[in-house]
Amino acid sequence: MSRPYGLLAELTHRCPLRCPYCSNPLELAARREELPPAEWQRVLAEAAALGVVQVGFSGGEPLLYEGLELLIETARREGMYSNLITSAVGLTPARAARLRAAGLDAVQISLQADEAEVGDAVAGARVHAAKLAAAAAVRDAGLPLGLNVVLHAGTIDRLDGIIRLAESLGAIRLELANVQFYGWAHANRAALLPTREQVDRAAEVVAAHAERLGPRLALIYVLPDYHERRPKPCLHGWGSRALTVNPRGDVLPCQAANAIPDLEFPNVRDHDLAWIWRESAAFNRFRGFEWMPEPCRSCPERERDFGGCRCQAALLTGDATRTDPVCEFAPDRGLIDAVLAAPAAPGDWRYRPAAGA
Amino acid sequence: MPSTMRPELAPHVRRQIDRVSGRPMLLHPEGAVELSESADAILALCDGARGVEEIIAALAAEFDAPEATLRADVESLLAALAGRGLLKSSS
């Protein structure tokens, strides 16, 4: 069994933004359910002992979690590289300096678009201008700046402007993530799904900018999997390299694993992380190839894509052991094609609540 | 690879010994890179003060290997790291 390299620490689901593609589950954790800082410190120490070298402090909005600086200090003391994954609301120059002093290694700020009018409409809050100011504060504090933009029907045509904005903000990396349809994004699929023409054009725009920019601004382009013919090699396999701990302390192989109804996820209040990684039923459920049905079981691609995403299989077919419906060989590919053929409703989405306060 | 440059890891990159494997490793926002002992020895000399020729000379003094081999190792490592944005860009 391999070791985990990365830990996604979802400190809170509270967030000032209401993005309709939020990666948090539909059932958001309330503030009173959140793990206290002392529990998180123990989790971080256990993670480091298990082999984790990267920790992403995420949410919700992690800046709202009291004790964030303490956890960054703990991560640093344990030898882990820490990344703050933030909306940047509340990231003042003073806060950026405190985070840096605590030992933070890098910051990743989400942007919703390249212009305030569009970005604020997607976020469901007036935040775009504050994000640009926060990006400058991050750079002024001497922290490396990454940006992350979720691309969907309403923003994918703005890629050129988004990439130029990232360049002007002095980012060293820009993640351009086509929306993945879990949780809130799944509920808003018709409003968010881009067309084939949009994704083809986007790929060309990204390629042209990547060529021009070279390594000075790394563009990380996450493919729109509904439009692909083969599934994504989700997390390089179940329980293989990374784990997520949510605000309640549940440990998941992936952020979206709540989509799998019949799995019970272990909690850090009941077990240590080493047991959870090595022994728990949830983490062992889809390791290796034994669980696979056909056509995956005898497919040479299984070594590369691991049968695709278990959460997507569960969400779309109700059965997490089935081949990811995105695959052209999947018996359920018709489910994806039906969604692609269905009428789109761009912009007609339901916001997530600014929850859990 | 201009031989006049004075290479150094980018500020967002950390070189450390991995707690679990005991082996050298680079950490950066995208992930972790396991280093060979020879790559680690080269990077230990990439302090932004030494030029490539000085790095090769220092390696030659420490290791029993032909200079051409050391030069090829240094140049290919630096090119690979630069291509991934892990070296300081201007020096």
Side-chain angles (χ1 to χ4, degrees):
Chain A
M1 186 185 308
S2 57
R3 64 189 256 199
Y5 286 88
L7 166 67
L8 186 69
E10 290 184 343
L11 301 180
T12 179
H13 283 157
R14 289 174 287 138
C15 187
L17 274 59
R18 301 187 294 139
C19 307
Y21 48 71
C22 181
S23 63
N24 289 163
L26 296 173
E27 285 181 34
L28 298 167
R31 182 175 197 161
R32 63 177 184 283
E33 297 177 273
E34 293 172 5
L35 284 183
E39 290 270 355
W40 273 114
Q41 286 186 288
R42 178 177 58 80
V43 170
L44 292 169
E46 290 174 359
L50 192 54
V52 169
V53 287
Q54 293 271 346
V55 53
F57 291 108
S58 177
E61 175 45 65
L63 292 169
L64 294 176
Y65 184 83
E66 275 179 51
L68 174 63
E69 279 82 353
L70 178 69
L71 300 185
I72 290 168
E73 283 170 17
T74 305
R76 168 54 72 103
R77 198 163 56 238
E78 296 287 346
M80 295 186 288
Y81 191 100
S82 61
N83 211 325
L84 182 70
I85 301 162
T86 178
S87 73
V89 174
L91 191 46
T92 59
R95 188 82 197 264
R98 284 213 300 282
L99 293 165
R100 159 103 201 220
L104 186 65
D105 289 294
V107 177
Q108 178 182 296
I109 294 178
S110 69
L111 288 177
Q112 282 63 42
D114 53 333
E115 287 175 12
E117 197 182 334
V118 181
D120 291 349
V122 173
R126 276 184 177 270
V127 289
H128 185 81
K131 285 165 178 273
L132 303 190
V138 165
R139 294 215 54 213
D140 290 346
L143 285 162
L145 174 67
L147 298 169
N148 150 277
V149 183
V150 172
L151 303 175
H152 52 84
T155 54
I156 193 167
D157 296 329
R158 313 184 68 91
L159 260 177
D160 184 71
I162 289 168
I163 294 168
R164 291 186 191 283
L165 175 60
E167 206 180 343
S168 74
L169 292 173
I172 58 166
R173 63 184 288 276
L174 170 61
E175 185 177 304
L176 298 161
N178 275 284
V179 59
Q180 306 283 307
F181 293 109
Y182 306 94
W184 293 93
H186 183 257
N188 286 314
R189 210 162 44 172
L192 298 172
L193 185 69
T195 64
R196 159 63 60 188
E197 292 68 36
Q198 283 183 303
V199 305
D200 286 347
R201 207 159 47 232
E204 286 170 23
V205 173
V206 172
H209 279 288
E211 170 83 26
R212 180 179 67 81
L213 291 163
R216 106 185 117 93
L217 171 56
L219 301 181
I220 293 115
Y221 186 64
V222 178
L223 292 168
D225 70 345
Y226 276 38
H227 287 286
E228 297 291 310
R229 291 163 56 194
R230 298 291 172 79
K232 52 186 178 268
C234 209
L235 294 165
H236 304 278
W238 185 265
S240 156
R241 294 192 188 175
L243 41 80
T244 294
V245 180
N246 75 15
R248 299 182 179 97
D250 294 334
V251 190
L252 297 86
C254 134
Q255 275 173 289
N258 282 319
I260 304 178
D262 52 341
L263 271 190
E264 220 175 289
F265 294 102
N267 192 285
V268 296
R269 297 180 200 257
D270 306 320
H271 301 281
D272 68 61
L273 222 47
W275 183 90
I276 289 170
W277 180 258
R278 296 186 183 122
E279 311 290 338
S280 72
F283 272 80
N284 283 301
R285 181 66 184 87
F286 302 112
R287 280 189 172 134
F289 303 114
E290 285 307 300
W291 60 270
M292 284 182 174
E294 293 294 354
C296 294
R297 185 179 273 265
S298 59
C299 180
E301 291 290 299
R302 69 182 193 172
E303 308 274 351
R304 194 195 63 80
D305 63 27
F306 314 101
C309 174
R310 295 306 87 222
C311 310
Q312 185 144 278
L315 195 57
L316 297 181
T317 75
D319 178 355
T321 66
R322 291 183 74 79
T323 297
D324 186 333
V326 159
C327 184
E328 61 184 320
F329 305 125
D332 303 308
R333 172 69 210 193
L335 295 172
I336 301 281
D337 291 330
V339 173
L340 293 175
D348 183 20
W349 55 59
R350 181 163 66 99
Y351 287 107
R352 68 156 265 181
Chain B
M1 182 66 48
S3 57
T4 51
M5 82 175 247
R6 301 176 186 282
E8 181 180 10
L9 286 173
H12 61 276
V13 181
R14 221 157 86 196
R15 184 171 64 95
Q16 67 183 36
I17 299 298
D18 181 52
R19 242 167 93 165
V20 170
S21 67
R23 299 177 60 82
M25 187 180 256
L26 289 184
L27 298 174
H28 62 100
E30 273 305 278
V33 183
E34 281 167 12
L35 294 174
S36 65
E37 296 296 338
S38 65
D40 190 55
I42 293 168
L43 289 176
L45 296 164
C46 294
D47 55 5
R50 291 182 177 87
V52 169
E53 293 306 323
E54 290 168 86
I55 290 167
I56 293 166
L59 289 167
E62 194 179 343
F63 299 100
D64 182 23
E67 196 195 295
T69 308
L70 295 171
R71 179 177 302 278
D73 286 352
V74 169
E75 287 179 354
S76 70
L77 176 69
L78 294 179
L81 294 176
R84 298 178 63 173
L86 300 179
L87 289 189
K88 204 166 182 174
S89 45
S90 58
S91 14

